[in-house]
Amino acid sequence: MALMKACVALEADGPKLLAASIRNESVFSELIGLRAYAVTLRPEFLNALCTDPITDQAILAFASDTAQSLSLAP
């Protein structure tokens, strides 16, 4: 992580760092925390970051509740 931190620090006054093919949350979090300019992510990893089982359950419950209340409308 020290090397990553040094590379990100250098980009403030020079070329921008592109961290490529980030594969896990800890490295991604560290890069974001260090304010890295850009990263590339594998599609599977990006999808995993954009989904949450609890949120998915809440969305399904909301859709079900909405359908039920609409069926009761006159």
Coordinates of all heavy atoms in Angstrom, one line a residue:
M1 N 0.8 -1.2 0.0 CA 0.0 0.0 0.0 C 0.9 1.3 0.0 O 0.4 2.3 -0.5 CB -0.9 0.0 1.2 CG -2.0 -1.0 1.2 SD -3.2 -0.6 -0.2 CE -4.3 -2.0 0.0
A2 N 2.1 1.2 0.5 CA 2.9 2.4 0.5 C 3.3 2.8 -0.9 O 3.3 4.0 -1.1 CB 4.2 2.1 1.3
L3 N 3.5 1.9 -1.8 CA 3.8 2.2 -3.2 C 2.6 2.9 -3.8 O 2.7 3.9 -4.5 CB 4.2 1.0 -3.9 CG 4.5 1.2 -5.4 CD1 5.6 2.2 -5.6 CD2 4.9 -0.1 -6.1
M4 N 1.4 2.3 -3.5 CA 0.2 2.9 -4.1 C 0.0 4.3 -3.6 O -0.3 5.2 -4.3 CB -1.0 2.0 -3.7 CG -2.3 2.4 -4.4 SD -3.7 1.3 -4.2 CE -3.5 0.5 -2.6
K5 N 0.2 4.5 -2.3 CA 0.1 5.9 -1.7 C 1.1 6.8 -2.3 O 0.7 8.0 -2.7 CB 0.3 5.8 -0.2 CG 0.0 7.0 0.5 CD 0.3 6.9 2.0 CE -1.0 6.8 2.8 NZ -0.8 6.8 4.2
A6 N 2.3 6.4 -2.6 CA 3.3 7.3 -3.2 C 2.9 7.6 -4.6 O 3.1 8.8 -5.0 CB 4.7 6.6 -3.1
C7 N 2.4 6.7 -5.4 CA 2.0 6.9 -6.7 C 0.9 7.9 -6.8 O 0.9 8.8 -7.6 CB 1.6 5.6 -7.4 SG 3.0 4.5 -7.8
V8 N -0.1 7.8 -6.0 CA -1.3 8.7 -5.9 C -0.8 10.1 -5.5 O -1.2 11.1 -6.1 CB -2.4 8.2 -5.0 CG1 -3.5 9.2 -4.9 CG2 -3.0 6.9 -5.6
A9 N 0.1 10.2 -4.6 CA 0.6 11.5 -4.1 C 1.3 12.2 -5.3 O 1.2 13.4 -5.4 CB 1.5 11.3 -2.9
L10 N 2.0 11.5 -6.1 CA 2.8 12.1 -7.2 C 1.8 12.6 -8.3 O 2.2 13.6 -9.0 CB 3.7 11.1 -7.9 CG 5.0 10.7 -7.1 CD1 5.7 9.6 -7.7 CD2 5.8 11.9 -6.9
E11 N 0.6 12.1 -8.4 CA -0.2 12.6 -9.5 C -0.7 14.0 -9.3 O -1.2 14.6 -10.2 CB -1.4 11.6 -9.8 CG -2.5 11.7 -8.8 CD -3.6 10.7 -9.1 OE1 -3.6 10.0 -10.1 OE2 -4.6 10.7 -8.4
A12 N -0.7 14.5 -8.1 CA -1.1 15.8 -7.8 C -0.4 16.9 -8.7 O -1.0 17.9 -9.1 CB -1.0 16.2 -6.3
D13 N 0.9 16.7 -8.9 CA 1.7 17.6 -9.6 C 2.2 17.1 -11.0 O 3.0 17.8 -11.6 CB 2.9 18.1 -8.8 CG 2.5 18.8 -7.5 OD1 1.5 19.5 -7.6 OD2 3.1 18.5 -6.5
G14 N 1.7 16.0 -11.4 CA 2.2 15.4 -12.6 C 1.2 14.6 -13.4 O 0.0 14.9 -13.3
P15 N 1.6 13.6 -14.1 CA 0.7 12.8 -14.9 C -0.3 12.1 -14.0 O 0.0 11.9 -12.8 CB 1.6 11.8 -15.5 CG 2.9 12.3 -15.5 CD 3.0 13.2 -14.3
K16 N -1.5 11.9 -14.5 CA -2.6 11.3 -13.7 C -2.4 9.8 -13.7 O -2.1 9.2 -14.7 CB -4.0 11.7 -14.2 CG -4.2 13.1 -14.2 CD -4.2 13.7 -12.8 CE -4.5 15.1 -12.7 NZ -4.1 15.8 -11.5
L17 N -2.6 9.2 -12.6 CA -2.5 7.7 -12.4 C -3.8 7.0 -12.8 O -4.9 7.4 -12.4 CB -2.2 7.4 -10.9 CG -2.2 6.0 -10.5 CD1 -1.0 5.2 -11.1 CD2 -2.1 5.9 -9.0
L18 N -3.7 6.0 -13.6 CA -4.8 5.1 -13.9 C -4.6 3.8 -13.2 O -3.7 3.1 -13.7 CB -5.0 5.0 -15.4 CG -6.0 3.9 -15.8 CD1 -7.4 4.3 -15.4 CD2 -6.0 3.7 -17.3
A19 N -5.3 3.5 -12.2 CA -5.2 2.2 -11.5 C -6.0 1.2 -12.3 O -7.3 1.4 -12.3 CB -5.6 2.3 -10.1
A20 N -5.4 0.2 -12.9 CA -6.2 -0.7 -13.8 C -6.5 -2.0 -13.1 O -5.8 -2.5 -12.3 CB -5.4 -0.9 -15.0
S21 N -7.7 -2.5 -13.5 CA -8.1 -3.8 -13.2 C -8.2 -4.1 -11.7 O -7.7 -5.1 -11.2 CB -7.3 -4.9 -13.9 OG -7.9 -6.1 -13.8
I22 N -8.8 -3.2 -11.0 CA -9.0 -3.4 -9.5 C -9.9 -4.5 -9.3 O -11.0 -4.6 -9.9 CB -9.5 -2.1 -8.9 CG1 -8.6 -0.9 -9.2 CG2 -9.7 -2.2 -7.4 CD1 -7.2 -1.1 -8.9
R23 N -9.6 -5.4 -8.4 CA -10.3 -6.7 -8.2 C -10.9 -6.9 -6.9 O -11.7 -7.8 -6.7 CB -9.4 -7.9 -8.5 CG -9.0 -7.9 -10.0 CD -7.9 -9.0 -10.2 NE -7.3 -8.8 -11.5 CZ -7.5 -9.6 -12.5 NH1 -8.4 -10.6 -12.4 NH2 -6.9 -9.4 -13.7
N24 N -10.6 -6.0 -5.9 CA -11.3 -6.2 -4.6 C -11.6 -4.9 -3.9 O -11.0 -3.9 -4.2 CB -10.4 -7.1 -3.7 CG -9.1 -6.5 -3.3 OD1 -9.0 -5.5 -2.7 ND2 -8.0 -7.2 -3.7
E25 N -12.5 -5.0 -2.9 CA -13.0 -3.8 -2.3 C -11.9 -3.1 -1.5 O -11.9 -1.8 -1.4 CB -14.1 -4.1 -1.4 CG -15.4 -4.5 -2.1 CD -16.5 -4.9 -1.2 OE1 -16.7 -4.2 -0.2 OE2 -17.3 -5.8 -1.6
S26 N -11.0 -3.8 -0.9 CA -10.0 -3.1 0.0 C -9.1 -2.2 -0.9 O -8.8 -1.1 -0.5 CB -9.2 -4.1 0.8 OG -8.4 -5.0 0.0
V27 N -8.6 -2.7 -2.0 CA -7.8 -1.9 -2.9 C -8.6 -0.7 -3.4 O -8.1 0.4 -3.4 CB -7.1 -2.7 -4.0 CG1 -6.4 -1.8 -5.0 CG2 -6.2 -3.8 -3.4
F28 N -9.8 -1.0 -3.9 CA -10.6 0.1 -4.4 C -10.9 1.2 -3.3 O -10.7 2.4 -3.6 CB -12.0 -0.5 -4.9 CG -12.9 0.5 -5.4 CD1 -12.6 1.2 -6.6 CD2 -14.1 0.8 -4.8 CE1 -13.5 2.1 -7.2 CE2 -15.0 1.7 -5.3 CZ -14.7 2.4 -6.5
S29 N -11.2 0.8 -2.1 CA -11.4 1.7 -1.0 C -10.2 2.5 -0.7 O -10.3 3.7 -0.5 CB -11.9 1.0 0.2 OG -13.1 0.4 0.0
E30 N -9.1 1.8 -0.7 CA -7.8 2.5 -0.4 C -7.5 3.6 -1.5 O -7.2 4.7 -1.2 CB -6.6 1.5 -0.4 CG -5.3 2.1 0.0 CD -5.2 2.5 1.4 OE1 -5.9 2.0 2.3 OE2 -4.3 3.3 1.8
L31 N -7.7 3.2 -2.8 CA -7.5 4.2 -3.9 C -8.4 5.4 -3.8 O -8.0 6.5 -4.0 CB -7.6 3.5 -5.2 CG -6.5 2.6 -5.6 CD1 -6.9 1.7 -6.8 CD2 -5.3 3.4 -6.0
I32 N -9.7 5.1 -3.5 CA -10.7 6.2 -3.3 C -10.3 7.1 -2.2 O -10.3 8.3 -2.3 CB -12.1 5.6 -3.2 CG1 -12.5 4.9 -4.4 CG2 -13.1 6.8 -2.8 CD1 -12.6 5.7 -5.7
G33 N -9.9 6.5 -1.1 CA -9.4 7.2 0.1 C -8.2 8.1 -0.2 O -8.1 9.2 0.4
L34 N -7.4 7.6 -1.1 CA -6.2 8.4 -1.4 C -6.5 9.4 -2.5 O -5.6 10.2 -2.9 CB -5.1 7.4 -1.9 CG -4.5 6.5 -0.9 CD1 -3.6 5.4 -1.6 CD2 -3.7 7.2 0.2
R35 N -7.7 9.4 -3.0 CA -8.1 10.3 -4.1 C -7.4 10.1 -5.4 O -7.0 11.0 -6.1 CB -7.9 11.8 -3.7 CG -8.7 12.1 -2.4 CD -8.5 13.6 -2.0 NE -9.1 13.8 -0.8 CZ -10.0 14.8 -0.6 NH1 -10.3 15.6 -1.6 NH2 -10.6 15.0 0.5
A36 N -7.4 8.8 -5.8 CA -6.8 8.4 -7.1 C -7.7 9.0 -8.2 O -8.9 9.2 -8.0 CB -6.8 6.9 -7.2
Y37 N -7.0 9.4 -9.2 CA -7.7 10.1 -10.3 C -8.7 9.2 -11.1 O -9.8 9.6 -11.4 CB -6.7 10.7 -11.3 CG -7.3 11.5 -12.4 CD1 -7.8 12.8 -12.2 CD2 -7.3 11.0 -13.7 CE1 -8.3 13.5 -13.2 CE2 -7.8 11.7 -14.7 CZ -8.3 13.0 -14.5 OH -8.9 13.7 -15.5
A38 N -8.3 8.0 -11.4 CA -9.1 7.1 -12.2 C -8.8 5.6 -11.9 O -7.6 5.3 -11.6 CB -9.0 7.4 -13.6
V39 N -9.8 4.8 -12.0 CA -9.5 3.3 -11.9 C -10.4 2.6 -13.0 O -11.3 3.2 -13.5 CB -10.0 2.8 -10.5 CG1 -9.2 3.4 -9.4 CG2 -11.5 3.0 -10.3
T40 N -9.9 1.5 -13.3 CA -10.8 0.6 -14.2 C -11.2 -0.6 -13.3 O -10.4 -1.0 -12.4 CB -10.0 0.1 -15.4 OG1 -8.9 -0.7 -15.0 CG2 -9.5 1.3 -16.3
L41 N -12.4 -1.0 -13.5 CA -12.9 -2.1 -12.7 C -13.4 -3.2 -13.6 O -14.0 -3.0 -14.7 CB -14.1 -1.7 -11.8 CG -13.8 -0.5 -10.9 CD1 -15.1 0.0 -10.2 CD2 -12.7 -0.8 -9.9
R42 N -13.3 -4.5 -13.2 CA -13.8 -5.6 -13.9 C -15.4 -5.5 -13.8 O -15.9 -5.1 -12.8 CB -13.4 -6.9 -13.3 CG -11.9 -7.1 -13.4 CD -11.5 -8.4 -12.8 NE -12.1 -9.4 -13.6 CZ -11.6 -10.6 -13.7 NH1 -10.6 -11.0 -13.0 NH2 -12.2 -11.5 -14.4
P43 N -16.1 -5.8 -14.9 CA -17.6 -5.7 -14.8 C -18.2 -6.4 -13.7 O -19.1 -5.9 -13.0 CB -18.0 -6.3 -16.2 CG -16.8 -6.1 -17.1 CD -15.6 -6.3 -16.2
E44 N -17.7 -7.6 -13.3 CA -18.3 -8.4 -12.2 C -18.1 -7.6 -10.9 O -19.0 -7.6 -10.0 CB -17.6 -9.8 -12.1 CG -17.6 -10.6 -13.3 CD -16.5 -10.3 -14.3 OE1 -15.4 -9.8 -13.9 OE2 -16.7 -10.4 -15.5
F45 N -16.9 -7.0 -10.7 CA -16.7 -6.3 -9.5 C -17.5 -5.0 -9.4 O -18.1 -4.7 -8.4 CB -15.2 -5.9 -9.4 CG -14.8 -5.1 -8.2 CD1 -15.0 -5.7 -6.9 CD2 -14.3 -3.9 -8.3 CE1 -14.6 -5.0 -5.8 CE2 -13.9 -3.2 -7.2 CZ -14.1 -3.7 -5.9
L46 N -17.7 -4.3 -10.5 CA -18.6 -3.2 -10.6 C -20.0 -3.5 -10.3 O -20.7 -2.9 -9.5 CB -18.5 -2.5 -12.0 CG -19.3 -1.2 -12.1 CD1 -19.0 -0.2 -11.1 CD2 -19.2 -0.7 -13.6
N47 N -20.5 -4.6 -10.8 CA -21.9 -5.1 -10.5 C -22.0 -5.4 -9.0 O -23.0 -5.1 -8.4 CB -22.2 -6.3 -11.4 CG -22.5 -6.0 -12.8 OD1 -22.8 -4.8 -13.1 ND2 -22.3 -6.9 -13.7
A48 N -21.0 -6.0 -8.4 CA -21.1 -6.3 -7.0 C -21.1 -5.1 -6.2 O -21.8 -5.0 -5.1 CB -19.9 -7.2 -6.6
L49 N -20.4 -4.0 -6.6 CA -20.5 -2.7 -5.9 C -21.8 -2.0 -6.0 O -22.2 -1.2 -5.1 CB -19.4 -1.8 -6.4 CG -17.9 -2.1 -6.1 CD1 -17.0 -1.1 -6.9 CD2 -17.7 -2.1 -4.6
C50 N -22.5 -2.3 -7.1 CA -23.8 -1.6 -7.3 C -25.0 -2.4 -6.8 O -26.2 -1.9 -7.0 CB -24.0 -1.4 -8.8 SG -22.7 -0.3 -9.5
T51 N -24.8 -3.5 -6.2 CA -26.0 -4.2 -5.7 C -25.8 -4.5 -4.2 O -24.7 -4.5 -3.7 CB -26.1 -5.6 -6.4 OG1 -25.0 -6.4 -6.2 CG2 -26.4 -5.4 -7.9
D52 N -26.9 -4.6 -3.5 CA -26.9 -4.9 -2.1 C -28.1 -5.7 -1.8 O -29.3 -5.3 -2.1 CB -27.0 -3.6 -1.3 CG -27.1 -3.8 0.2 OD1 -26.1 -4.3 0.8 OD2 -28.1 -3.4 0.8
P53 N -28.0 -6.9 -1.1 CA -29.1 -7.8 -0.9 C -30.2 -7.1 -0.1 O -31.4 -7.3 -0.4 CB -28.5 -8.9 -0.1 CG -27.1 -8.9 -0.4 CD -26.7 -7.5 -0.7
I54 N -29.9 -6.3 0.9 CA -31.0 -5.7 1.7 C -31.7 -4.7 0.8 O -32.9 -4.6 0.9 CB -30.3 -5.0 2.9 CG1 -29.8 -6.1 3.8 CG2 -31.4 -4.2 3.7 CD1 -29.0 -5.6 5.0
T55 N -31.0 -3.9 0.0 CA -31.7 -2.9 -0.8 C -32.5 -3.6 -1.9 O -33.7 -3.2 -2.1 CB -30.6 -2.0 -1.6 OG1 -29.9 -1.4 -0.6 CG2 -31.3 -1.0 -2.5
D56 N -32.0 -4.7 -2.4 CA -32.8 -5.5 -3.4 C -34.1 -6.0 -2.8 O -35.2 -6.0 -3.4 CB -32.0 -6.7 -3.9 CG -30.8 -6.2 -4.8 OD1 -30.8 -5.0 -5.2 OD2 -29.9 -7.0 -5.0
Q57 N -34.0 -6.5 -1.5 CA -35.3 -7.0 -0.8 C -36.2 -5.8 -0.6 O -37.4 -6.0 -0.7 CB -34.9 -7.6 0.5 CG -34.2 -8.9 0.4 CD -33.7 -9.5 1.8 OE1 -33.8 -8.8 2.8 NE2 -33.1 -10.7 1.7
A58 N -35.7 -4.7 -0.2 CA -36.6 -3.5 0.0 C -37.3 -3.1 -1.3 O -38.5 -2.7 -1.2 CB -35.7 -2.3 0.6
I59 N -36.6 -3.1 -2.4 CA -37.2 -2.8 -3.7 C -38.3 -3.7 -4.0 O -39.4 -3.3 -4.4 CB -36.1 -2.7 -4.8 CG1 -35.2 -1.5 -4.5 CG2 -36.7 -2.7 -6.2 CD1 -33.9 -1.5 -5.4
L60 N -38.1 -5.0 -3.8 CA -39.1 -6.0 -4.1 C -40.3 -5.8 -3.2 O -41.5 -5.9 -3.6 CB -38.5 -7.4 -3.9 CG -37.6 -7.9 -5.0 CD1 -36.9 -9.2 -4.6 CD2 -38.2 -8.0 -6.3
A61 N -40.1 -5.5 -1.9 CA -41.2 -5.3 -0.9 C -42.0 -4.1 -1.3 O -43.2 -4.1 -1.3 CB -40.6 -5.2 0.5
F62 N -41.3 -3.0 -1.8 CA -41.9 -1.8 -2.2 C -42.8 -2.0 -3.4 O -44.0 -1.6 -3.5 CB -40.9 -0.7 -2.5 CG -41.5 0.6 -2.9 CD1 -42.0 1.5 -2.0 CD2 -41.6 0.9 -4.3 CE1 -42.6 2.7 -2.4 CE2 -42.1 2.1 -4.7 CZ -42.6 3.0 -3.7
A63 N -42.3 -2.8 -4.4 CA -43.0 -3.1 -5.6 C -44.3 -3.9 -5.2 O -45.4 -3.7 -5.8 CB -42.2 -3.8 -6.6
S64 N -44.1 -4.9 -4.3 CA -45.2 -5.7 -3.9 C -46.3 -4.8 -3.2 O -47.5 -5.0 -3.5 CB -44.8 -6.8 -3.0 OG -45.8 -7.6 -2.5
D65 N -45.9 -4.0 -2.3 CA -46.8 -3.1 -1.5 C -47.5 -2.2 -2.5 O -48.7 -1.9 -2.3 CB -46.1 -2.3 -0.5 CG -45.5 -3.2 0.7 OD1 -45.9 -4.4 0.8 OD2 -44.7 -2.7 1.4
T66 N -46.8 -1.6 -3.5 CA -47.4 -0.7 -4.4 C -48.5 -1.5 -5.3 O -49.6 -0.9 -5.4 CB -46.3 -0.1 -5.4 OG1 -45.4 0.6 -4.6 CG2 -46.9 0.8 -6.4
A67 N -48.1 -2.7 -5.7 CA -49.1 -3.4 -6.5 C -50.3 -3.8 -5.7 O -51.5 -3.7 -6.2 CB -48.4 -4.7 -7.0
Q68 N -50.1 -4.1 -4.4 CA -51.3 -4.4 -3.6 C -52.1 -3.2 -3.3 O -53.4 -3.3 -3.4 CB -50.8 -5.0 -2.2 CG -51.9 -5.4 -1.3 CD -51.4 -5.9 0.0 OE1 -50.2 -6.0 0.3 NE2 -52.3 -6.4 0.8
S69 N -51.5 -2.1 -3.0 CA -52.4 -0.9 -2.8 C -53.1 -0.4 -4.1 O -54.2 0.1 -4.0 CB -51.5 0.3 -2.1 OG -50.6 0.7 -3.0
L70 N -52.4 -0.6 -5.2 CA -53.1 -0.2 -6.5 C -54.3 -1.1 -6.8 O -55.3 -0.7 -7.3 CB -52.1 -0.2 -7.6 CG -51.1 0.9 -7.6 CD1 -50.0 0.7 -8.8 CD2 -51.7 2.3 -7.8
S71 N -54.2 -2.4 -6.3 CA -55.3 -3.3 -6.6 C -56.5 -3.0 -5.7 O -57.6 -3.3 -6.0 CB -54.9 -4.7 -6.4 OG -54.6 -5.0 -5.0
L72 N -56.3 -2.2 -4.6 CA -57.4 -1.8 -3.7 C -58.0 -0.5 -4.1 O -59.1 -0.2 -3.6 CB -56.8 -1.7 -2.3 CG -56.2 -2.9 -1.6 CD1 -55.6 -2.6 -0.3 CD2 -57.3 -4.0 -1.5
A73 N -57.4 0.2 -5.0 CA -58.0 1.5 -5.5 C -59.3 1.3 -6.2 O -59.5 0.3 -6.9 CB -57.0 2.2 -6.4
P74 N -60.2 2.2 -6.0 CA -61.6 2.1 -6.6 C -61.5 2.3 -8.1 O -60.7 2.8 -8.8 CB -62.4 3.2 -6.0 CG -61.5 4.1 -5.3 CD -60.2 3.4 -5.1

